[in-house]
Amino acid sequence: MHLPNYKEARSFDKKDYQVRTFQLDPVYQNKFQGKTCYLKTYGCQMNEHDSENIKAILEEMGFTFIERYQDADLILLNTCSIRENAHNKAFGMLGRIKHLKESRPSILVGMCGCMAQEEVVTNKILKDYPWMNFVIGTHNFYDLPRVLCQSLDTNSLQVEVYSREQDFVEDMPVDRVSHYKAYVNIIYGCDKFCTYCIVPYTRGRQRSRKKEDILKEVVDLKKEGYLEVTLLGQNVNAYGKDLYDDYSMAELLEDVAKTGIPRIRFMTSHPWDFSDKMIEVIAKYPNIMPSIHLPVQSGSNAILKKMGRRYTREEYLTLFHKMKEQIPHCVISTDIIVGFPGETEEDFKDTLSLVQECRYDNAFSFIYSKRVGTPAEKLKDDVTKKEKEKRLYQLNDELNQFFLENNQKLVGKVLMVLAEGKSPKKKDQYFGYSETNKLVNFKSNQEVTGKIVPVLIEDAKTWSLDGTLCE
Ligand code: SAH
Ligand code: SF4
Ligand code: F3S
């Protein structure tokens, strides 16, 4: 039994990370032949990609995957801690599973992902969910086969959660959701410790994967016919800082671009580490997509300071405009939090005015959610829930107007779209994403799935574009 400990999770001792390869112990190979698994993924791309690894490991153990949890032999929840509603969703699901387990005690139930790393969550599970089979953390999910079997052998709840990161495990098997687009981890964890955020506690200290391993993965993906890679990290711009003196995100982007993979995306970028060299490289290589997610969080300097974001509104805007000027057709999206403790009407107005200046193409907006163990938990929060909701609606109204306005400018233009498949609703209609990451629904008489094709844009909506394939 290993339980998460926040004090340890916060610690900053420099570790030497070992790299090891994954090898499924033959005793687990096909041990569960004929058994089914329901895997539910909450949260961000990081979790989605972890689930692609978890799925492949379980497949090697013999599991097949099904869509209905009611019919599964193993139910595994890959969870997210970022806001309270993510917690509520997972605990709501556990409530439903409890009933199922009462009528079918043989089902195995496990939790992995970020919630597993939280002291409050594991304590609650030990106290109120003793019927569960296992909890495994983000730093050791590759150990799932052993933990799962141990819970079966001992018929008891196993909690195996390490507070700090373990070895790097390369060569983990992966069963990717898409055959055209792939996620590639480049940096794990986060050292920014924004005061509201739980990620540094659930994902550990910042550590970069070796450039050779990343480039090999991209080259292999290209050989397999993948058309797009998304380089993943909580703050990709910090890439290399913990590993190299003279190799950073700019150099990595350039090397990935030189592999010739048709499309490269990366997320997420913290404005603080966004270098001029990165802007130059993005502008230079047509296969680096001109679509950048640049979370601002707030337009008020007072709130940015309390959030520990390390930049001012003015510095953010300077960076924003530099990108727009230097990267051809650059599209920028963002994340915004409203109702941070102590946010005044004036602070909120500063966020609105920043949005009016940036006229974002896309944005995710959230009401602040207090996370146990973060520094912001201790701040006095005197903004009422009603007021926070009002601000969110007002912000969204403003944002939506710009999404539509930006999309309308694309009507009559031809965009290159990576077609992902047929529209679930309409016959002869496909969907895919443009270089600037716009969702495009389009008519086509040809089968275009898995191809990058030109589409004439004929209509604009707030969150998508409609068009027809150019013959
Ligand atoms: N690493 C990314 C963010 C990952 S979390 C970055 O720094 O940009 C995604 C978004 O969730 C954040 O950008 C933030 O807007 C939001 N978020 C994080 N913690 C939150 C909290 N406690 N309450 C509300 N929103 C939060
Ligand atoms: Fe969280 Fe800040 Fe790290 Fe993003 S940069 S993951 S918001 S601590
Ligand atoms: Fe959620 Fe963890 Fe991602 S908290 S947003 S799943 S890193």
Side-chain angles (χ1 to χ4, degrees):
M1 190 84 73
H2 285 96
L3 295 176
N5 174 302
Y6 264 23
K7 203 162 155 238
E8 213 182 297
R10 255 192 300 262
S11 60
F12 253 104
D13 58 313
K14 189 90 186 128
K15 278 192 162 187
D16 260 346
Y17 301 106
Q18 303 297 313
V19 178
R20 41 176 276 207
T21 48
F22 179 88
Q23 184 94 55
L24 184 68
D25 189 326
V27 296
Y28 304 127
Q29 206 97 36
N30 291 324
K31 188 176 158 86
F32 294 85
Q33 200 70 46
K35 299 283 183 198
T36 56
C37 174
Y38 171 86
L39 172 61
K40 172 81 185 162
T41 309
Y42 303 87
C44 66
Q45 289 86 355
M46 215 79 58
N47 258 17
E48 284 173 27
H49 188 38
D50 286 351
S51 279
E52 294 181 330
N53 291 129
I54 291 167
K55 186 166 181 232
I57 294 174
L58 290 168
E59 279 166 347
E60 285 193 13
M61 295 169 75
F63 284 100
T64 49
F65 284 77
I66 57 170
E67 300 287 323
R68 267 174 50 89
Y69 73 92
Q70 293 91 336
D71 302 329
D73 299 305
L74 165 65
I75 302 177
L76 181 54
L77 307 184
N78 190 6
T79 57
C80 169
S81 313
I82 202 83
R83 283 170 291 275
E84 196 184 345
N85 63 355
H87 263 221
N88 294 347
K89 276 189 209 156
F91 277 118
M93 184 68 187
L94 280 178
R96 290 193 288 282
I97 298 169
K98 182 172 188 254
H99 288 298
L100 194 64
K101 183 133 174 151
E102 275 159 10
S103 59
R104 211 153 52 84
S106 65
I107 49 171
L108 292 164
V109 182
M111 175 188 278
C112 58
C114 289
M115 278 171 67
Q117 295 295 139
E118 288 186 75
E119 284 174 358
V120 279
V121 172
T122 39
N123 289 340
K124 183 166 166 167
I125 286 177
L126 284 170
K127 189 164 152 275
D128 301 333
Y129 296 75
W131 51 268
M132 282 180 69
N133 298 84
F134 64 92
V135 179
I136 190 162
T138 57
H139 301 308
N140 61 321
F141 71 77
Y142 52 82
D143 207 13
L144 179 66
R146 190 185 61 78
V147 176
L148 177 87
C149 291
Q150 196 160 307
S151 90
L152 256 183
D153 292 346
T154 57
N155 196 19
S156 66
L157 169 61
Q158 297 293 313
V159 180
E160 284 298 326
V161 180
Y162 294 88
S163 305
R164 289 292 303 270
E165 43 299 330
Q166 307 294 299
D167 295 344
F168 271 115
V169 180
E170 288 291 344
D171 294 339
M172 228 185 292
V174 58
D175 182 354
R176 296 184 190 272
V177 172
S178 163
H179 298 298
Y180 323 110
K181 308 202 300 187
Y183 291 128
V184 175
N185 284 322
I186 63 167
I187 182 165
Y188 301 98
C190 182
D191 282 353
K192 287 282 180 290
F193 284 93
C194 302
T195 57
Y196 51 82
C197 184
I198 195 129
V199 171
Y201 309 91
T202 63
R203 291 278 169 172
R205 297 287 67 72
Q206 184 173 293
R207 56 222 187 272
S208 305
R209 229 178 128 197
K210 281 198 185 127
K211 60 182 178 187
E212 295 80 14
D213 293 330
I214 297 167
L215 292 170
K216 179 175 178 302
E217 187 171 347
V218 175
V219 169
D220 288 348
L221 286 165
K222 188 178 168 230
K223 279 191 205 139
E224 286 171 41
Y226 279 84
L227 297 172
E228 180 176 307
V229 291
T230 301
L231 309 179
L232 278 187
Q234 285 302 342
N235 173 20
V236 287
N237 305 1
Y239 177 78
K241 289 188 173 182
D242 54 306
L243 205 57
Y244 305 113
D245 292 329
D246 53 359
Y247 194 90
S248 68
M249 183 59 178
E251 284 78 23
L252 180 70
L253 269 179
E254 184 150 31
D255 282 344
V256 174
K258 284 181 185 162
T259 65
I261 189 120
R263 285 182 163 199
I264 300 154
R265 302 187 190 278
F266 54 93
M267 69 184 315
T268 301
S269 289
H270 189 295
W272 204 65
D273 297 305
F274 216 112
S275 67
D276 286 353
K277 181 91 192 285
M278 272 181 75
I279 297 179
E280 256 172 57
V281 172
I282 298 165
K284 183 171 161 196
Y285 289 91
N287 57 342
I288 305 180
M289 297 297 100
S291 152
I292 296 164
H293 192 59
L294 193 70
V296 65
Q297 313 301 359
S298 168
S300 149
N301 279 333
I303 296 297
L304 285 172
K305 191 150 190 237
K306 280 195 199 169
M307 287 178 162
R309 288 292 287 183
R310 307 165 189 227
Y311 54 80
T312 60
R313 168 195 177 97
E314 293 73 25
E315 284 163 343
Y316 180 91
L317 287 171
T318 304
L319 175 64
F320 180 95
H321 291 301
K322 207 191 295 177
M323 285 174 177
K324 284 275 185 186
E325 278 157 25
Q326 296 183 12
I327 303 171
H329 314 295
C330 178
V331 156
I332 298 177
S333 54
T334 202
D335 292 342
I336 298 173
I337 297 175
V338 299
F340 189 76
E343 184 187 69
T344 63
E345 192 56 36
E346 276 311 303
D347 293 320
F348 177 61
K349 281 200 183 126
D350 285 346
T351 298
L352 287 181
S353 73
L354 180 129
V355 163
Q356 278 151 5
E357 180 164 343
C358 294
R359 309 172 96 85
Y360 290 105
D361 274 76
N362 200 0
F364 299 95
S365 49
F366 312 101
I367 291 181
Y368 165 74
S369 175
K370 190 199 282 192
R371 308 318 295 134
V372 175
T374 60
E377 186 197 0
K378 309 232 161 51
L379 295 176
K380 187 159 166 269
D381 189 359
D382 48 9
V383 190
T384 63
K385 186 164 174 269
K386 202 161 158 231
E387 179 59 34
K388 291 184 188 200
E389 281 166 358
K390 197 178 119 207
R391 288 181 191 170
L392 185 70
Y393 289 133
Q394 205 180 335
L395 173 67
N396 285 344
D397 270 354
E398 200 73 37
L399 288 165
N400 293 350
Q401 181 192 315
F402 294 122
F403 302 164
L404 184 62
E405 192 181 290
N406 286 318
N407 282 349
Q408 278 166 343
K409 288 187 199 143
L410 298 169
V411 174
K413 299 229 157 78
V414 173
L415 300 185
M416 296 309 289
V417 175
L418 195 175
E420 293 192 12
K422 284 201 169 170
S423 156
K425 288 185 210 132
K426 288 191 194 149
K427 222 175 137 249
D428 296 333
Q429 182 124 349
Y430 289 79
F431 73 96
Y433 288 85
S434 72
E435 298 197 329
T436 51
N437 215 15
K438 304 264 181 193
L439 172 61
V440 182
N441 294 301
F442 62 102
K443 293 189 272 306
S444 164
N445 296 322
Q446 306 168 27
E447 169 59 74
V448 288
T449 304
K451 292 188 185 141
I452 297 175
V453 290
V455 175
L456 173 68
I457 303 305
E458 291 155 331
D459 196 12
K461 306 210 170 86
T462 306
W463 286 285
S464 64
L465 298 164
D466 290 337
T468 303
L469 178 80
C470 300
E471 303 277 345

